[in-house]
Structures are given as structure tokens and as C-alpha cells.
Amino acid sequence: DIQMTQSPSSLSASVGDRVTITCRASQSISSYVNWYQQKSGKAPKLLIYAASSLQSGVPSRFSGSGSGTDFTLTISSLQPEDFATYYCQQSYSTPPTFGQGTKVEIK
Amino acid sequence: EVQLVESGGGLVQPGGSLRLSCAASGFTFSSYWMHWVRQAPGKGLVWVSRIKSDGTSTTYADSVKGRFTISRDNAKKTLYMQMNSLRAEDTAVYYCARDRHCGGDCYTTDFDSWGQGTLVTVSS
């Protein structure tokens, strides 16, 4: 199975900050990475697919980049509703696997 | 509006069985691959299984292979997961998730819509 490793595991940031979360795959996966946001007690929500494609309805402050083994999710200006846990996921091979999550907290 | 509503979770003893359902609405259910993803309390997301749009192909995570069976009824727009020989480590919230459509027989394993989840607790 492909292992996805996110960093950091948690971070504290203020409204308006630029936030970057990284995800590293245990082998090359081209651009087959998705990013999800999960708020406490809620289902995950797809933000980015295929490494850099913005899912319909997702604000443009979210962006993704990377290919091969290293990927990044960036929130350009953190908003109050963005405090949540973020997961990367590889869709390159079966089984699809997720990172362990990055919790974004209020500073 | 796409809607997925899971049901059927609950408390079950180790070795017991449970059947989860996921009722779909707001889209052409029969055109989409579907998945189950679970999340143990306080833990991360783990993919469990997927099924082709017409139900003719299924795949499972090794951890549930031989114990869980995914199925669907396209006339009823409902996805199912039959869970047998349940273990304590199966305790989790189970989500059904829709595969982002790519046309034809392909699947993307991009989960573009999720249900609210149903909690399964395996304990004596």
C-alpha cells in the first residue's frame, strides 16, 4: 500500500494567514492526489482533486500543487470557517490511502 | 442537490453482523461508482470498499475481505454493506461516498460527495 505522510500534524494560525500543508507519498503517484476538509463531527468535503483542480463550489483561496511524491495544499488567507482537519489521499492505486490529517487551529 | 443518507449502524457484539444502507438522491445513482470509507473514533480515514455503477465489480480492503460484502440496488438508489464476523477494530463511523464521475466504466477514487455517516460499535 502507498503511505501518505502529512506535515505538520497540527498547526496554529490566525485569520488572514497563509497556510501550507504538505503531503509526501511513499512512491511516485503522478498527480493522483486529493485534498479533503473535515470539520468536527462532520463528513469530509473534497477540496482539490488531481493535485491542483479546484472542486466546484470551493473558494479560490484553496489551491493545490505538486507531482510525483510531494504535494502541497495552500490556503492563501485563512478564514474562520477554515479551522478544520485536512487530509490528503492518493487515488493512484488500490487501496486508496489517506494521510493522517493536519489539524488547523486558531492561534 | 446530491444527498447520501446512511443508516443501520448500532451496537453489536464481536462476531455479530450488521447491514448498513446508504440512500442516494439528487443524481443518477446508477451512473456512479460508490464507496464505503470508515473512521475510527479520533482517527483518520480508511477506505473500505467500492462497487461499480452496475454492481458487477467489487473491491475490498484486506482488513475486511471475506467478512464484508458491498452491494447496490439501482432501482432503489441504495448502497449496502453487509458486515459479518465483526471485530472490535471495526468500530468506526462508516461513510458512503460517491466517486467523481469520469464517464463510461472508469472510476477516479475521488470522493466528491459524502453521507453524514453511521456509527458502528463492536463491543461486548
Side-chain angles (χ1 to χ4, degrees), chain B residues 5-22:
Chain B
V5 180
E6 300 94 337
S7 60
L11 175 63
V12 60
Q13 292 188 339
S17 298
L18 215 52
R19 188 200 200 198
L20 307 183
S21 299
C22 170

Side-chain angles (χ1 to χ4, degrees), chain A residues 20-95:
Chain A
T20 299
I21 299 168
T22 63
C23 182
R24 175 164 288 176
S26 59
Q27 66 180 72
S28 179
I29 56 172
S30 184
S31 296
Y32 291 93
V33 160
N34 307 318
W35 290 94
Y36 300 86
Q37 176 194 66
Q38 186 178 34
K39 297 182 179 178
S40 182
K42 301 295 185 182
K45 173 186 174 183
L46 179 64
L47 300 175
I48 302 285
Y49 63 93
S52 60
S53 296
L54 192 68
Q55 173 68 355
S56 177
V58 174
S60 59
R61 63 181 179 273
F62 291 94
S63 64
S65 64
S67 66
T69 60
D70 295 315
F71 302 88
T72 299
L73 173 70
T74 299
I75 310 171
S76 60
S77 178
L78 197 66
Q79 297 302 299
E81 60 267 31
D82 301 336
F83 292 96
T85 299
Y86 294 84
Y87 293 92
C88 62
Q89 174 237 330
Q90 64 83 13
S91 57
Y92 181 80
S93 67
T94 300

Side-chain angles (χ1 to χ4, degrees), chain B residues 6-96:
Chain B
E6 300 94 337
S7 60
L11 175 63
V12 60
Q13 292 188 339
S17 298
L18 215 52
R19 188 200 200 198
L20 307 183
S21 299
C22 170
S25 60
F27 65 102
T28 306
F29 180 70
S30 59
S31 296
Y32 287 80
W33 290 68
M34 296 293 296
H35 303 260
W36 288 99
V37 177
R38 69 184 181 184
Q39 186 172 35
K43 302 296 185 181
L45 300 163
V46 177
W47 175 82
V48 175
S49 180
R50 70 170 171 249
I51 186 167
K52 190 178 177 180
S53 52
D54 63 2
T56 58
S57 174
T58 59
T59 308
Y60 300 92
D62 286 345
S63 59
V64 306
K65 202 172 295 183
R67 300 188 299 122
F68 289 13
T69 302
I70 190 172
S71 64
R72 63 192 297 161
D73 184 331
N74 284 345
K76 293 184 178 179
K77 301 180 183 180
T78 302
L79 175 72
Y80 302 101
M81 178 64 82
Q82 177 67 43
M83 305 187 296
N84 298 331
S85 303
L86 282 161
R87 307 167 180 167
E89 54 265 34
D90 295 319
T91 294
V93 173
Y94 285 74
Y95 296 100
C96 63

